[in-house]
Every structure is written in C-alpha cells, then in structure tokens.
Amino acid sequence: MEYKEATDRVLEGITAGDLAGELGISEDAVAGTRLDPDTPGFRPPPEGWRAAVARLAGERASRLLRLKTELIGPPRAASGTAAGVAVMRAAHLIIESEPPVLNDTVAARLLGPEMVAQIRARVDELQTPPALGLRSHVLLRSRFAEDTLMDAVADGVEQYVLLGAGLDTFAYRQPEWAHGLTVIEVDHPGTQGAKRGALAAAGIEIPPNVRYADIDFERETLAQGLARCGVQTAKPTFFSWLGVTMYLTRDAIEATLRTVLSFPKGSGIVLTYAHTDSAQSRMAADSATAGEPWVSYFTPDELGAMLRSLGFSDVSFLSREEAEERYYANRTDGFAAPPRVSIVAARV
C-alpha cells in the first residue's frame, strides 16, 4: 500500500455518526446543529462536542503515529541535553550557599548517587564563569516560569503544560497551590521513557495530577499530540517552553505558539529564546557538536513583534536588573543573574 493511501485511510474525516457515538446522542441531533448563531434555524452544538472532537482527532493521530512507525521505523532516541540541565540544577544546591534561586531537591535523586559524586568532584570546573552563567540561566528560567505559573493559578489556570519537559522536576516537588492543577509533561518518547525509568529507579512516585504526552514532533503536531493525550482545550492553561525554541525553525515556533493561542483567554506562556548575539557562543557551538544545532535566533524586538502579531497580549521580557533584584539580591556567594536574560512571558 502506498504511504499516502495508508495515511488517507487512517485520517478519514470525523463524521456526524462518529461524534454522535462519542457523545451518546442521535446522529440527527448532531447533524442539525450549527456553530454560527446567525445561521437560519440555528441550534447550538451539544455540550461537550469540542472535547469529543479532540478525542476523536487524537485517536486518529495515534493511529497515524503507529502507522508511520511501521512504515519508516521507530522514533529517534532521546535528546542528550536533558541530563545536562538536571546536572546544573542539582549542582546549585551542592555548590551555592543559601537561599537557593531554585530549590530543586529532586534533581539529584533523579540523576543518582554516581552523578552526584561526579558533580562534587568537578566543583572547581563548575565555578568557572561559563559554567556559572549557564547554571544561573537554567535556574532563573525555571524559577521565573514557576513563579509566573503561581500567579496564573491564582487567576484561574487549571492546566500546566511543560513543552520539552526533559528532566524537569516541578511535578515531583510541587507546592500545595499546584495540587489542583493537571500537570502535562510534553516531550519526545525517548526522553520520557528515560525519565520515567529514572523516576522508578529513584523511588520517586508520580503524583496523581501528572500526565505524560509523549509526542514525536517529526510524526505529529503539538495539537494532535495534546488531543491524543486528553489535554482539555477548553480549560485555561499555562505553558512553559524552556530551552527549546533555538532548536526549531521559525515556522515550527509559530505553529506551536498558534496551538497555545487556541486555548481560552487567560492562558499564558513563558518561553526562552536564543538572542542573535549568541549565534557564535560556546553554548551554540557545543550544542552543534552534540548534534543538536541551534537554528533560530531573535532580538527581543523581533520576538515581541512575532508574539503580538500572532495575537498574544501582555508580552513582557524579564530584564537582567529585575532578575537580579527578585532572585539574587543580598547573596554573599557572588552568584548572580546570567549576563544575558532571554525570557519572555505572554498571555492569550
């Protein structure tokens, strides 16, 4: 069977009969509804139709994923950057003095005692200016995202989606104010498999409000993956997208942002980006050497214009001065905000 023919069969359109069966109502009840209230004989759609369509679309996307695996082979392996980020978070509690910028007490457990021993043996290397700057950047972006999430929860956000979750540990050290959230970790299946193995090995329980969306973006879109994994698109949702955009084309970045914009008003996002000045940086070079080259760079003006043109509001960039005041003031160990802060928050 030709690939196109196979995918066409998998992705057949959702019919009125499909939707009626999903909702448990008659096909006539579905067929007679209209979305536009100005339509003659308007009858509003049945309650729950959006979620039902999302579930049906998700089932088709899941079948397509299985088909692609059969036709072109299994998905690629996990990213190599996730462990490096976790090392920076664990090293902070070992090297820097109190108070921590980010009190990540889970990262070391996730990495295991052997890696922690390596961190302790490399303390001098981890205190060089490049290592300090990278560690500060990793800590700051997570702390700012989690603080912004806390404010969003107070305003009614019900879901937290971590795009490119890697070895992020928020879900396993979540504060009391987060217990009412549904936390969805989105990442490549290989990375998620490795993480869940590490959680099990460390004896870290998965909280009941945590879900995993194992999405291979070479094989399905974010919207398809979220639908397949049961994310409720009608609920106000907060997204964090940290350390990812530099690896994607601008078209792919815009596609993801449009998915975020499909969520209700009051939803929001915190994301990081690579500044145009960092194209020749050591971090970019090291990433390329590791087989994960950076491909997209922005100035704050460029990224701000993109976000506003897509439809985001309240676009704000965290400045180094604000970061220093909020998270590094009165420290006695010399640990400071990174030389460049490339973090932006926006609301739907």
Side-chain angles (χ1 to χ4, degrees):
M1 182 186 300
E2 292 292 332
Y3 175 68
K4 184 179 187 307
E5 180 185 355
T7 53
D8 286 346
R9 289 188 183 182
V10 171
L11 294 177
E12 293 172 349
I14 297 172
T15 66
D18 293 333
L19 191 54
E22 188 74 14
L23 292 168
I25 60 178
S26 73
E27 189 170 335
D28 288 343
V30 173
T33 63
R34 298 290 183 271
L35 297 182
D36 186 355
D38 295 328
T39 302
F42 168 69
R43 190 168 66 196
E47 184 176 352
W49 74 273
R50 290 182 185 274
V53 169
R55 287 193 297 271
L56 290 165
E59 290 170 6
R60 283 158 169 75
S62 183
R63 291 201 298 271
L64 178 61
L65 178 59
R66 289 196 296 272
L67 173 65
K68 284 188 173 181
T69 299
E70 291 172 8
L71 292 173
I72 62 177
R76 58 181 173 80
S79 164
T81 59
V85 171
V87 166
M88 293 295 101
R89 294 156 71 107
H92 179 51
L93 296 189
I94 294 171
I95 297 174
E96 273 79 50
S97 63
E98 296 285 343
V101 174
L102 181 76
N103 192 23
D104 188 345
T105 56
V106 176
R109 294 176 61 196
L110 203 57
L111 292 168
E114 193 172 306
M115 181 60 74
V116 171
Q118 290 184 39
I119 292 171
R120 294 185 184 280
R122 295 171 52 205
V123 166
D124 289 345
E125 180 185 339
L126 290 168
Q127 288 181 309
T128 62
L132 284 168
L134 176 59
R135 186 159 67 253
S136 184
H137 167 71
V138 165
L139 298 164
L140 174 61
R141 70 190 190 186
S142 291
R143 175 64 183 276
F144 180 73
E146 292 175 16
D147 283 358
T148 308
L149 169 65
M150 180 175 63
D151 293 340
V153 169
D155 289 338
V157 156
E158 300 177 53
Q159 296 180 130
Y160 178 32
V161 177
L162 295 93
L163 300 174
L167 294 180
D168 189 276
T169 63
F170 173 82
Y172 317 98
R173 54 179 171 80
Q174 55 182 284
E176 187 174 349
W177 55 260
H179 292 174
L181 282 170
T182 299
V183 181
I184 302 106
E185 295 194 358
V186 176
D187 216 323
H188 185 275
T191 299
Q192 286 203 332
K195 180 176 187 175
R196 295 176 78 166
L199 288 167
I204 300 171
E205 292 187 6
I206 299 174
N209 63 333
V210 176
R211 307 286 183 271
Y212 297 97
D214 52 340
I215 302 175
D216 183 347
F217 291 101
E218 294 177 358
R219 301 167 185 270
E220 64 182 325
T221 66
L222 174 62
Q224 289 169 335
L226 293 179
R228 174 172 57 80
C229 297
V231 176
Q232 301 296 305
T233 57
K235 290 184 176 182
T237 301
F238 181 83
F239 293 79
S240 67
W241 201 17
L242 309 179
V244 177
T245 60
M246 60 283 298
Y247 301 106
L248 305 176
T249 65
R250 293 201 179 198
D251 285 347
I253 293 168
E254 288 195 13
T256 296
L257 292 171
R258 287 193 180 93
T259 298
V260 174
L261 283 166
S262 70
F263 282 73
K265 197 169 184 61
S267 299
I269 186 170
V270 165
L271 62 99
T272 59
Y273 63 99
H275 195 281
T276 51
D277 291 350
S278 62
Q280 305 301 319
S281 68
R282 178 179 171 182
M283 287 175 61
D286 288 348
S287 190
T289 300
E292 297 179 340
W294 292 5
V295 297
S296 288
Y297 301 87
F298 297 91
T299 66
D301 287 345
E302 287 173 335
L303 184 56
M306 173 191 284
L307 290 166
R308 294 184 184 93
S309 68
L310 289 171
F312 285 96
S313 62
D314 299 329
V315 177
S316 59
F317 289 80
L318 179 67
S319 69
R320 189 179 189 279
E321 292 73 23
E322 182 184 357
E324 191 72 37
E325 181 179 347
R326 288 178 63 172
Y327 301 120
Y328 300 86
N330 302 318
R331 296 193 67 91
T332 59
D333 56 4
F335 194 56
R340 184 186 298 282
V341 177
S342 303
I343 306 172
V344 60
R347 290 173 65 91
V348 174

